[in-house]
């Protein structure tokens, strides 16, 4: 019956073309939107995964309770202490309790590519003017450069320049701009007890993310000294060979330690909610387009059924059965769905290829060259778009097909269809 | 015997109207039978019952020892395709198919279009449409269209040919051509032909004539000594 279905479609070219256009738009928009959203997600994850560590082991945040200091102040002889205003707030001695134990565990774990112990403290940076609040990370440069891309993002100087000690720091471009400082100038850094310590800027980095660039790196020992917390670390950043295992490994480690352990995706869980929202939006758009296209197919086929009553009757007198009549109309929907899908996929692919050539990102001051939009083109998306188009076309043609098959030849002949 | 019609009655519509009452007769193999009567006498309805296009309200129609009312859908479909040819007053050609494709349409049902291609061409040649095989129905005259419809009815070499007023919409010349085709089908292939017509001249060319009035058989006469 497929030959007859094709002839029917060709006999009403304009309606078929408009119906085809609906399916075409649905399939093409599915491919483009999917490619765009997936590309965005891919780009984002790629940046997250490549620019930062995969697992963050942090000292557990501990807060003072109202009776936490009772024994320290009054010993064990006082049974009941009543405070007018009890102690509160975060304990200031947050630290990784057993860093050596962690180092041994991480060294022995063959899933771990690298790790970097850190002391991360809030600090005030000043160069004569208003102090700027920024993060200050003490690290071992040779280890730090293995867990994130700060060393690769150096604009001036080398990240390893802080390794020789002597209060040298590398600052982010944003912090440098806000301070109004230049390389090799000194800035005053205030951490912990508020006492200012001079540090010399020996390099700058630019990650492209202003928030990330509002921080400074120094040698671990220098930061510990400035913070009066010798030998203390409060974070270990870990890089894995397979970043997709991050969440599983982080959860496992959480069960056997008192530290707060998060993977890169757990830390950014809200972003994944946004991705899910994007997928919903895409599905909604495609659903609406397909619904409109489906109504088009339904209308065209219903009209065909009405116009082709005598054909249905004569086919039945020749021995064609009800299911064959049904198939005749389902074929028409199927052909519209298939052809619309194929054309839509081709157009979607070409448009995606074009979008990939469009410049994206970069900076107006040309300090960072423009890249291109990331569009992910996977076979799965094409398969989904194709199946979705065909399925919606088949669903839309189901009712007309059923309606055509329910007539008996005698009803049509008696009805006087001529 | 070929077709046995026994105490057949047919009611249709709401309110119910009795179209046929207590019709009984036999049609032997290879007979050319005409059913005549005034408009509304029930002759077309009887034709549809005999061909299995419609079902009886009472009585039975037995074709080759099979009760049509007890046949399954698939059997009926097969029966229509292999044993029956239909010709209607209106040709019911499929507008999107060429002359040859229309004729071969019944053969497509069981993928016999290739084996029946030569037969289709020879039938069309016989009825003067050899040069118009690829034409669409709209490019033919009314008489030519009806000739295509008869060729289509004959393509499966049916044992029974049912014709419902096939000349009703044609002029005399084309009517004669159609009658000639029916006669040839009957004579060449020994096809049982049942012709519904209200034109007495055509009815008298059959071997037997059954006349209906108000849904009942009022006369059943043998017109030719060849038929038993």
């Amino acid at each position: 019956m497929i030959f007859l279905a094709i002839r029917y479609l060709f006999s009403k070219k304009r309606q078929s073309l408009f119906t085809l256009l609906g399916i075409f738009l649905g399939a093409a928009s599915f491919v483009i939107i999917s490619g765009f959203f997936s590309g965005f997600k891919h780009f984002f994850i790629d940046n997250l995964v490549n620019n930062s560590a995969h697992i963050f082991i942090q000292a557990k945040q501990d807060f003072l309770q109202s009776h936490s200091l009772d024994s320290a102040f009054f010993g064990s002889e006082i049974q009941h202490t009543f405070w007018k205003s009890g102690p509160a707030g975060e304990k200031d001695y947050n630290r990784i309790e057993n860093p050596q134990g962690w180092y041994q565990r991480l060294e022995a774990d063959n899933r771990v590519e690298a790790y970097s112990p850190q002391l991360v403290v809030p600090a005030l940076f000043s160069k004569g003017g208003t102090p700027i609040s920024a993060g200050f990370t003490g690290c071992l440069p040779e280890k730090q450069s293995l867990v994130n891309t700060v060393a690769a993002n150096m604009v001036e100087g080398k990240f390893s320049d802080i390794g020789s000690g002597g209060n040298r720091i590398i600052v982010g471009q944003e912090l440098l701009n806000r301070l109004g400082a230049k390389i090799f100038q000194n800035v005053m850094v205030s951490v912990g007890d508020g006492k200012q310590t001079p540090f010399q800027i020996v390099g700058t980095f630019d990650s492209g993310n202003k928030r990330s660039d509002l921080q400074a790196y120094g040698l671990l020992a220098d930061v510990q000294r400035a913070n009066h917390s010798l030998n203390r670390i409060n974070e270990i950043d870990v890089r894995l060979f397979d970043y997709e295992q991050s969440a599983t490994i982080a959860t496992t480690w959480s069960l056997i330690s008192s530290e707060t352990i998060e993977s890169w995706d757990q830390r950014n869980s809200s972003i994944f909610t946004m991705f899910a929202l994007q997928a919903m939006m895409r599905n909604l758009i495609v659903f609406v387009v397909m619904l409109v296209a489906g109504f088009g197919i339904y209308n065209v086929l219903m009209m065909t059924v009405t116009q082709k009553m005598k054909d249905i009757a004569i086919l039945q007198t020749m021995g064609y059965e009800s299911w064959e009549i049904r198939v005749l109309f389902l074929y028409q929907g199927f052909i519209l769905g298939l052809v619309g899908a194929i054309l839509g996929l081709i157009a979607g692919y070409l448009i995606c290829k074009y979008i990939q050539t469009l410049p994206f990102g970069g900076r107006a001051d040309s300090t960072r060259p423009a890249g291109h939009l990331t569009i992910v083109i996977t076979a799965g998306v094409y398969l989904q778009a194709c199946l979705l188009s065909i399925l919606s076309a088949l669903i839309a043609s189901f009712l007309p097909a059923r309606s055509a098959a329910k007539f008996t030849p005698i009803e049509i002949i008696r009805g006087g269809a001529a | 015997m070929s077709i046995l019609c026994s105490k057949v009655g047919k009611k249709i519509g709401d309110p119910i109207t009795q179209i046929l009452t207590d019709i009984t007769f036999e049609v032997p193999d290879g007979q050319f039978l005409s059913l005549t009567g005034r408009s509304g006498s029930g002759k077309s309805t009887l034709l549809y019952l005999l061909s299995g296009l419609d079902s009886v309200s009472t009585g039975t129609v037995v074709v080759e020892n099979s009760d049509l009312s007890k046949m399954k859908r698939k059997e009926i479909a097969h029966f229509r395709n292999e044993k029956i040819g239909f010709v209607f007053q209106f040709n019911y050609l499929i507008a999107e198919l060429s002359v040859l494709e229309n004729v071969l349409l019944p053969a497509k049902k069981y993928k016999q279009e290739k084996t029946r291609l030569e037969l289709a061409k020879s039938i069309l040649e016989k009825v003067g449409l050899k040069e118009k095989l690829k034409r669409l129905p709209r490019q033919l005259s009314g008489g030519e269209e009806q000739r295509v419809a008869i060729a289509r009815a004959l393509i499966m070499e049916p044992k029974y040919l049912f014709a419902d007023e096939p000349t009703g919409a044609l002029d005399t010349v084309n009517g004669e051509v159609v009658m000639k085709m029916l006669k040839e089908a009957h004579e060449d292939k020994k096809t049982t032909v049942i012709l519904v017509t209200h034109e007495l001249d055509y009815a008298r060319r059959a071997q037997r004539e059954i006349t209906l009035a108000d849904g009942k058989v009022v006369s059943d006469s043998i017109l030719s000594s060849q038929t038993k």
Side-chain angles (χ1 to χ4, degrees):
Chain A
M1 301 301 269
I2 197 156
F3 80 102
L4 191 53
I6 294 170
R7 295 290 177 87
Y8 279 169
L9 289 174
F10 270 102
S11 72
K12 42 187 183 343
K13 289 190 187 75
R14 192 179 298 173
Q15 291 104 315
S16 300
L17 209 64
F18 273 108
T19 314
L20 205 64
L21 194 68
I23 297 287
F24 165 82
L25 287 176
S29 56
F30 187 88
V31 168
I32 296 165
I33 298 170
S34 295
F36 188 77
F37 283 173
S38 301
F40 177 68
K41 186 178 172 182
H42 193 263
F43 172 80
F44 203 89
I45 290 174
D46 209 37
N47 270 285
L48 268 181
V49 168
N50 289 330
N51 290 344
S52 76
H54 299 156
I55 295 179
F56 308 90
I57 302 165
Q58 291 173 303
K60 193 174 182 182
Q61 275 192 318
D62 207 0
F63 292 90
L64 285 170
Q65 303 299 314
S66 54
H67 292 285
S68 297
L69 302 177
D70 286 6
S71 59
F73 277 95
F74 309 109
S76 56
E77 291 172 7
I78 306 294
Q79 294 293 315
H80 301 288
T81 308
F82 298 95
W83 295 81
K84 268 180 98 174
S85 175
E90 190 182 353
K91 291 179 182 175
D92 69 349
Y93 53 83
N94 281 345
R95 66 178 71 204
I96 303 279
E97 291 294 343
N98 180 13
Q100 292 302 326
W102 271 112
Y103 301 157
Q104 284 170 11
R105 181 184 295 166
L106 295 171
E107 295 281 358
D109 197 326
N110 57 12
R111 295 169 300 182
V112 174
E113 187 182 348
Y115 67 90
S116 172
Q118 300 171 349
L119 177 64
V120 183
V121 289
L124 288 173
F125 294 80
S126 66
K127 192 186 145 288
T130 312
I132 308 293
S133 171
F136 192 19
T137 301
C139 62
L140 303 171
E142 72 281 4
K143 281 186 175 285
Q144 186 65 30
S145 58
L146 297 176
V147 296
N148 70 7
T149 52
V150 63
N153 292 332
M154 292 299 292
V155 178
E156 282 185 276
K158 287 186 289 183
F159 192 68
S160 57
D161 288 346
I162 58 171
S164 55
N167 285 4
R168 297 167 166 215
I169 55 170
I170 303 285
V171 298
Q173 199 72 45
E174 180 68 16
L175 181 56
L176 192 76
N177 292 343
R178 288 202 195 180
L179 285 169
K182 290 182 180 161
I183 195 154
F184 299 125
Q185 286 186 336
N186 284 335
V187 289
M188 301 306 288
V189 182
S190 171
V191 293
D193 59 1
K195 200 175 164 186
Q196 291 192 326
T197 311
F199 277 85
Q200 187 189 24
I201 299 170
V202 293
T204 61
F205 65 91
D206 182 1
S207 67
N209 180 331
K210 283 191 175 184
R211 204 175 137 203
S212 299
D213 291 348
L214 189 62
Q215 63 174 319
Y217 286 89
L219 185 69
L220 180 60
D222 289 347
V223 180
Q224 285 171 334
R225 201 177 310 112
N227 195 48
H228 306 294
S229 53
L230 293 176
N231 299 322
R232 190 209 294 182
I233 61 162
N234 60 7
E235 184 167 325
I236 304 174
D237 286 2
V238 182
R239 192 168 185 86
L240 301 175
F241 286 107
D242 179 7
Y243 73 86
E244 289 186 348
Q245 288 191 44
S246 305
T248 317
I249 294 172
T251 308
T252 313
W253 287 351
S254 298
L255 298 173
I256 55 166
S257 76
S258 60
E259 274 78 29
T260 302
I261 303 173
E262 278 183 316
S263 61
W264 63 274
D265 43 349
Q266 288 168 338
R267 190 175 259 197
N268 296 287
S269 57
S270 59
I271 291 165
F272 286 88
T273 312
M274 186 187 77
F275 290 145
L277 207 66
Q278 277 185 345
M280 273 175 61
M281 264 175 59
R282 176 199 64 186
N283 292 342
L284 192 70
I285 293 167
V286 172
F287 174 75
V288 171
V289 175
M290 289 297 181
L291 195 70
V292 174
F295 269 111
I297 292 179
Y298 172 82
N299 281 331
V300 167
L301 292 187
M302 269 316 237
M303 208 157 65
T304 311
V305 169
T306 314
Q307 287 170 349
K308 300 296 176 188
M309 293 288 259
K310 67 182 184 78
D311 291 10
I312 294 168
I314 201 65
L315 285 168
Q316 287 179 321
T317 64
M318 289 175 202
Y320 284 93
E321 295 170 60
S322 296
W323 70 266
E324 288 168 297
I325 304 296
R326 208 174 297 134
V327 163
L328 170 65
F329 287 90
L330 285 175
Y331 264 141
Q332 292 178 62
F334 176 77
I335 292 165
L336 287 172
L338 185 68
V339 175
I342 291 170
L343 294 176
L345 297 189
I346 293 170
Y349 175 78
L350 294 175
I351 292 170
C352 282
K353 280 284 173 195
Y354 171 71
I355 293 173
Q356 277 181 327
T357 65
L358 296 177
F360 173 71
R363 291 214 173 143
D365 57 10
S366 303
T367 53
R368 179 175 286 266
H372 294 285
L373 273 173
T374 308
I375 303 285
V376 173
I377 303 167
T378 58
V381 167
Y382 285 79
L383 191 68
Q384 274 182 51
C386 191
L387 290 178
L388 197 71
S389 306
I390 293 172
L391 194 70
S392 55
L394 280 178
I395 291 171
S397 52
F398 176 75
L399 281 179
R402 199 178 67 165
S403 145
K406 78 179 180 189
F407 292 110
T408 61
I410 201 67
E411 282 174 317
I412 299 169
I413 291 164
R414 277 219 183 98
Chain B
M1 82 207 52
S2 180
I3 300 175
L4 172 59
C5 182
S6 177
K7 296 188 174 177
V8 165
K10 180 68 183 174
K11 298 170 187 169
I12 58 164
D14 184 17
I16 291 169
T17 312
Q18 187 82 34
I19 304 290
L20 295 171
T21 312
D22 206 20
I23 306 281
T24 301
F25 62 85
E26 297 169 16
V27 184
D29 273 345
Q31 190 171 66
F32 193 145
L33 166 70
S34 63
L35 293 174
T36 58
R38 291 185 175 185
S39 288
S41 61
K43 51 189 188 301
S44 289
T45 302
L46 181 58
L47 187 84
Y48 301 148
L49 295 177
L50 296 177
S51 59
L53 270 189
D54 201 0
S55 54
V56 296
S57 302
T58 55
T60 55
V61 175
V62 177
V63 181
E64 295 181 348
N65 298 321
S66 296
D67 186 343
L68 291 184
S69 62
K70 288 180 181 165
M71 278 176 140
K72 291 177 182 164
R73 279 185 175 190
K74 205 166 186 66
E75 289 172 329
I76 283 272
H78 198 262
F79 171 71
R80 282 180 195 155
N81 185 262
E82 294 226 312
K83 301 268 172 94
I84 289 180
F86 284 100
V87 185
F88 298 94
Q89 181 176 355
F90 302 106
N91 58 69
Y92 292 134
L93 295 178
I94 291 179
E96 289 78 12
L97 300 183
S98 69
V99 166
L100 188 61
E101 286 168 332
N102 262 293
V103 172
L104 284 169
L105 202 51
K108 266 191 181 291
K109 159 84 180 165
Y110 293 110
K111 299 186 175 20
Q112 297 176 10
E113 61 267 38
K114 281 184 185 163
T115 55
R116 298 210 176 250
L117 180 63
E118 288 311 313
L119 177 64
K121 284 179 179 173
S122 78
I123 297 173
L124 287 168
E125 185 179 354
K126 220 169 170 180
V127 298
L129 294 169
K130 188 188 171 187
E131 307 302 322
K132 298 183 177 178
L133 300 185
K134 290 187 178 173
R135 297 246 178 120
L136 292 173
R138 66 170 180 271
Q139 297 168 313
L140 303 177
S141 69
E144 286 172 330
E145 283 184 312
Q146 193 63 307
R147 277 183 264 163
V148 176
I150 296 175
R152 183 179 62 189
L154 296 173
I155 189 66
M156 299 302 287
E157 299 174 284
K159 198 167 176 189
Y160 311 99
L161 183 60
F162 294 90
D164 186 10
E165 305 265 17
T167 58
L170 302 179
D171 57 26
T172 317
V173 177
N174 281 306
E176 285 297 335
V177 174
V178 166
M179 283 308 295
K180 189 171 167 247
M181 286 177 76
L182 296 181
K183 196 79 182 161
E184 279 174 4
H186 168 246
E187 285 168 358
D188 298 349
K189 304 275 181 183
K190 302 293 174 216
T191 307
T192 304
V193 179
I194 301 181
L195 167 70
V196 167
T197 181
H198 61 270
E199 292 177 70
L200 286 180
D201 178 37
Y202 294 146
R204 298 275 152 80
R205 297 184 199 183
Q207 294 168 317
R208 179 183 174 192
E209 181 186 4
I210 291 178
T211 306
L212 299 177
D214 299 328
K216 291 177 185 167
V217 173
V218 290
S219 80
D220 183 352
S221 45
I222 302 296
L223 304 172
S224 160
S225 57
Q226 302 159 9
T227 311
K228 274 272 172 197

